Amino acid sequence: MEDMFERRPWLLPLILALLTLVLLRPALLPLTPGEALNGSDLTGMFYPLNEATGRLIRAGTLPLWNPHQFIGHPFVGNPHTALLYPGTWFVWLVGAQRGMALMLALHTWLGAWGMGRVARSFGSTHSGALLAGIVYAMSGWAGARYYAGHYNLMLVAGWVPWGILTYHHALRRRAPRALLPGIGVLGAALLAGYPPLLLYLALAWGFLWLYHCAIAPEGERRRAAWDGAWRAAAIGAGALILGAGLLFPAAELARLSVREGSGLAFAASYALPPANLLTLAVPGLFGWPQVEPYYYWGELFFEEHTAYAGLLPLLAIPLAFRWARRESAYFLALIAFGAVYSVGIEGGLMPVLAHWIPGWTSFRVPARGLFLVVIGLAGLTALLITHLQHATPEARAALLRPVLRVWLPGAVAVLFTLAIFFTGWYAASSHVEPMPLRAYQVAEALALAGMFALGAWIVLWLWAQPDAALGRWALAVTAAFVLVDAWHGALPNIRVGDASEAPMWTGARDNIPLDDAGRVLARLPWGGPENGASVTGHFHVLGYDPLWIETFDRLRKVSDSNDPNGIANTLLGVRYVLATEPQDDLTNFELSGIAYESLYYERTDPFPRAWIATDARVEPDDDTALAQLADPATDLHATVYLDRVLECESGGGDATIRLYDTNEVQIETSGEGGVLVLSDQYYPGWRAEVDGEEVTIARADVAFRAVCVPPGEHTVTFTYRPLSFYAGAAISAAGWALWALVWVLAWRVDRRGHPAI
């Protein structure tokens, strides 16, 4: 088998590509029309997001601003849009659902191949590299991401092994051009739209740097440390230039979002419960999200607490201490750090990182430290297989003796004993659900784990045999076992089903006009994703995004966000209500339509989206302004609270929205003048002109935009021209052009055989 890979090195990526196609066949070639991957984040955020941006691109409009969620939200600042990533352009070309499935498959294969290359760089055989790719990209951790619909995260995960590989390459090469692959890989990963995962790549780099220093000769370690540090800094700086088109506007949004100023408690949210570490050996111990009737009953969230890689990868941890191979230290360090960090504050690592690294508390979900565990397990699996392939039969037998005589027989006995115990509990119970059936499901998970432990014993027994004929079968059986074991942790979580538009939003197309005068509120209980408005073209005051803007969040909390007549929703201009139940409490709303078991209401006394206030009060303290807005005595139409002085006439007048486009709003005003308030999100990058003359935009009522309008008839134009995006995109474009030029020059130097540049 190894000779075959040596003669045909292209077989490794080819086999991984075929396995990826088989694993994701239901998503790539659904048997039922209309079916697609339907992870919650895909249907709730990513499909609407890509459908909306793709529609705008095909219409010739640059998708800079999204007016359809919240009271406006920047497309360009939202890293999930990944506007400058070539994969996103492909999605726009072929359609959101099909294009995103193909992108996920491509990056799954990319990650598997990359992990195989990482294993090879640490001395693994081709066979070990193949299994490392399977463990990394096709086991329980990846399956849980498909279940959740973590689209951008999976794209970046496809690049992470290549990031490790290219830094490892740069550490072993003296020529400056050795930095180019790392800069390109990390730059592409940044543009893919999930920068937080690259924090874990940075940690993996840190351990690789320590490993590089540790293996350096005694007198060379200081030089090795400096060499590794400046190379990491140079790659990082180059990648920041290539990714500036995403990073600049995303940093601007993050600074103004609810994430800014988050503390340690926020960063520790969704830590891994220590009990869930058991699922690294027994998947399904707390149920499966897609298995009836009780699904998953463990601590939320399943997708963050799942990282089953297989039993052989777990066995590789203790076995790594029984063979002398220094490369295993790197992967063991990743496993240890990831496991401890994943439990959050209780592990002790998170407070240290939060103290020493600025901005660390803006990123939550320490359970994603399991990502490092999976990388480490994949690498150790490759090294274990490599050691077994190269060792003599006697050495293999000595290495595996405790596994075959004690570890696995003991594990099988314990697992089957516990399975019998929980089965007996179920049989003897009074069947007052849910506990008895849960006990039966626990018994099932334990029994299945026992079967796989027995399978692992058979696999390792083959390796320990002196008979050459049995030894020839060992590698093939091991590969099959690792594949089946990994897939049994992934396949139950790949959700494919109906991913068509929610009926509530389909009905809204016919029952709620797409005018500019009113926003909509989908009232609880929801009949579809909040971001459905991005597809239908309506203007929903709610939305689903982790980086919603802090000023909007504060304003909406002035009153119940589910109450269309609350002060916040009144100010936001809610005119229409979507509901799945009759709204008898809304006396000032009239039923305007019924469709798809949804009801649509229109407010009889809607608050305008744009108006001229006559009583402008400067109040830079948002808490005071919010308290005044919540006071029933405040005339919301006449009074406006500004964060700065606007010298305006205050006679009053009328305002009418004439154009409400993606990146532009035009309003005609008349009367005696005053402060024109537009209930759209105040945000950097918006400019205002009155009859062509640029004017200052003030922040009004905490979250809105306001400008002065003089007496008479005037045209006020708001235009979104985000400097953060244009500057970042220009820097990215120049950076990629320079990177490509240097790459070509380096390639030409190599071809001519000149000294390294």
Side-chain angles (χ1 to χ4, degrees):
M1 187 173 179
E2 204 60 36
D3 292 340
M4 178 179 63
F5 281 123
E6 289 289 349
R7 294 193 304 269
R8 304 176 182 85
W10 46 265
L11 275 177
L12 177 62
L14 177 61
I15 292 173
L16 289 171
L18 293 174
L19 291 175
T20 300
L21 292 176
V22 174
L23 177 70
L24 298 179
R25 194 280 311 159
L28 298 173
L29 297 170
L31 301 179
T32 303
E35 287 194 337
L37 284 169
N38 63 350
S40 56
D41 277 6
L42 286 173
T43 57
M45 180 167 58
F46 289 110
Y47 287 155
L49 192 64
N50 281 277
E51 287 174 16
T53 54
R55 183 183 67 247
L56 290 170
I57 287 291
R58 289 189 291 272
T61 300
L62 191 61
L64 302 175
W65 185 259
N66 182 6
H68 303 290
Q69 307 300 154
F70 309 108
I71 52 174
H73 199 257
F75 275 131
V76 294
N78 186 346
H80 293 128
T81 59
L83 294 178
L84 300 182
Y85 188 60
T88 304
W89 310 341
F90 175 79
V91 170
W92 293 338
L93 183 65
V94 303
Q97 293 180 5
R98 181 171 179 79
M100 291 171 69
L102 290 169
M103 280 298 100
L104 286 169
L106 173 64
H107 288 78
T108 295
W109 166 76
L110 188 68
W113 185 21
M115 190 64 231
R117 292 290 302 275
V118 169
R120 289 285 294 159
S121 74
F122 278 86
S124 165
T125 60
H126 291 283
S127 302
L130 174 66
L131 299 187
I134 291 171
V135 169
Y136 173 76
M138 304 181 195
S139 61
W141 185 86
R145 302 298 154 184
Y146 282 114
Y147 162 77
H150 290 167
Y151 174 69
N152 290 89
L153 187 150
M154 287 298 289
L155 299 191
V156 177
W159 287 108
V160 165
W162 295 95
I164 297 173
L165 177 69
T166 51
Y167 182 50
H168 199 194
H169 169 78
L171 290 174
R172 295 183 297 174
R173 301 291 189 273
R174 291 291 182 183
R177 66 173 178 271
L179 304 177
L180 289 175
I183 292 173
V185 164
L186 194 56
L190 283 171
L191 293 179
Y194 196 79
L197 197 66
L198 297 179
L199 294 175
Y200 295 97
L201 174 59
L203 292 170
W205 276 16
F207 284 107
L208 191 54
W209 174 77
L210 291 173
Y211 171 77
H212 175 70
C213 296
I215 65 174
E218 186 70 30
E220 296 290 323
R221 288 180 179 171
R222 181 173 297 180
R223 179 179 176 180
W226 165 250
D227 193 54
W230 82 256
R231 288 174 183 271
I235 293 174
L240 290 176
I241 292 173
L242 300 186
L246 179 139
L247 290 176
F248 281 18
E252 183 175 67
L253 176 58
R255 178 176 57 85
L256 298 171
S257 75
V258 291
R259 295 288 182 92
E260 177 65 12
S262 301
L264 192 59
F266 174 83
S269 56
Y270 309 124
L272 181 74
N276 278 64
L277 288 170
L278 295 173
T279 61
L280 292 174
V282 187
L285 186 63
F286 303 107
W288 295 98
Q290 301 197 75
V291 177
E292 298 182 20
Y294 296 115
Y295 303 99
Y296 172 75
W297 62 81
E299 183 75 16
L300 293 175
F301 285 93
F302 168 83
E303 58 268 27
E304 304 295 355
H305 301 155
T306 299
Y308 180 74
L311 289 183
L312 275 184
L314 285 178
L315 285 170
I317 298 175
L319 286 174
F321 293 96
R322 293 182 55 80
W323 78 71
R325 192 179 182 100
R326 66 185 185 185
E327 292 88 352
S328 63
Y330 173 64
F331 297 111
L332 286 169
L334 292 181
I335 294 170
F337 181 92
V340 174
Y341 179 79
S342 67
V343 300
I345 294 176
E346 295 179 1
L349 287 174
M350 172 168 283
V352 174
L353 292 172
H355 178 75
W356 287 105
I357 303 178
W360 191 270
T361 56
S362 296
F363 304 99
R364 58 181 181 174
V365 196
R368 287 183 184 164
L370 293 175
F371 179 55
L372 295 177
V373 173
V374 173
I375 295 173
L377 290 174
L380 278 187
T381 301
L383 295 182
L384 171 62
I385 298 305
T386 300
H387 182 77
L388 293 175
Q389 286 180 271
H390 291 163
T392 64
E394 294 77 13
R396 291 199 297 263
L399 172 70
L400 298 175
R401 187 174 294 115
V403 184
L404 297 174
R405 293 185 178 181
V406 180
W407 300 353
L408 281 177
V412 170
V414 170
L415 289 168
F416 280 130
T417 299
L418 289 174
I420 293 171
F421 169 78
F422 281 100
T423 302
W425 182 3
Y426 170 74
S429 68
S430 60
H431 290 271
V432 178
E433 302 296 355
M435 283 309 300
L437 189 53
R438 285 185 181 177
Y440 190 75
Q441 289 177 314
V442 169
E444 179 183 342
L446 291 167
L448 188 59
M451 293 296 294
F452 274 96
L454 185 59
W457 185 91
I458 294 172
V459 166
L460 296 178
W461 177 83
L462 288 174
W463 283 104
Q465 299 310 300
D467 189 336
L470 287 176
R472 285 193 294 270
W473 281 98
L475 183 57
V477 174
T478 300
F481 177 78
V482 169
L483 177 65
V484 172
D485 197 10
W487 280 14
H488 114 271
L491 281 172
N493 301 317
I494 299 178
R495 299 197 294 180
V496 175
D498 183 18
S500 57
E501 183 175 86
M504 170 178 277
W505 289 108
T506 301
R509 293 179 182 272
D510 297 325
N511 291 280
I512 296 182
L514 294 176
D515 58 30
D516 307 323
R519 290 194 170 97
V520 304
L521 170 67
R523 204 176 189 197
L524 292 172
W526 290 324
E530 300 137 285
N531 289 5
S534 289
V535 179
T536 63
H538 294 93
F539 304 100
H540 194 195
V541 293
L542 300 179
Y544 174 42
D545 192 276
L547 293 176
W548 66 90
I549 299 170
E550 194 264 346
T551 50
F552 166 77
D553 185 62
R554 299 188 70 188
L555 177 59
R556 76 180 182 89
K557 289 179 178 178
V558 167
S559 57
D560 181 2
S561 61
N562 196 46
D563 180 6
N565 288 315
I567 292 173
N569 281 327
T570 296
L571 264 177
L572 297 177
V574 170
R575 181 172 178 175
Y576 304 99
V577 167
L578 293 69
T580 56
E581 300 172 348
Q583 305 295 297
D584 297 332
D585 59 320
L586 303 181
T587 57
N588 60 332
F589 280 78
E590 294 181 348
L591 182 66
S592 59
I594 300 175
Y596 302 103
E597 299 182 349
S598 299
L599 300 95
Y600 305 90
Y601 295 83
E602 181 175 1
R603 185 167 178 164
T604 58
D605 57 341
F607 199 84
R609 290 275 307 284
W611 68 97
I612 296 178
T614 56
D615 182 9
R617 304 179 185 180
V618 177
E619 183 49 77
D621 182 69
D622 287 349
D623 290 333
T624 302
L626 291 170
Q628 292 297 320
L629 290 172
D631 187 346
T634 301
D635 185 340
L636 299 177
H637 191 282
T639 306
V640 62
Y641 295 91
L642 304 174
D643 70 335
R644 70 195 71 179
V645 176
L646 289 180
E647 298 293 342
C648 296
E649 301 283 348
S650 58
D654 297 319
T656 305
I657 297 175
R658 294 302 184 192
L659 172 68
Y660 198 85
D661 208 348
T662 303
N663 307 316
E664 182 179 346
V665 180
Q666 286 187 2
I667 303 172
E668 291 184 356
T669 65
S670 61
E672 300 303 317
V675 175
L676 171 66
V677 183
L678 175 65
S679 61
D680 280 14
Q681 181 68 55
Y682 177 89
Y683 195 80
W686 278 99
R687 300 177 182 178
E689 294 179 346
V690 177
D691 299 331
E693 295 289 331
E694 187 165 351
V695 296
T696 300
I697 302 178
R699 184 161 58 90
D701 291 347
V702 176
F704 301 150
R705 302 176 214 149
V707 297
C708 272
V709 291
E713 296 183 353
H714 302 280
T715 299
V716 181
T717 304
F718 292 92
T719 309
Y720 187 51
R721 295 291 183 267
L723 178 61
S724 60
F725 174 71
Y726 288 119
I731 293 171
S732 284
W736 281 106
L738 180 61
W739 179 86
L741 176 62
V742 175
W743 185 283
V744 170
L745 292 175
W747 175 76
R748 292 183 64 182
V749 168
D750 283 343
R751 288 200 63 185
R752 293 174 181 176
H754 288 179
I757 60 173

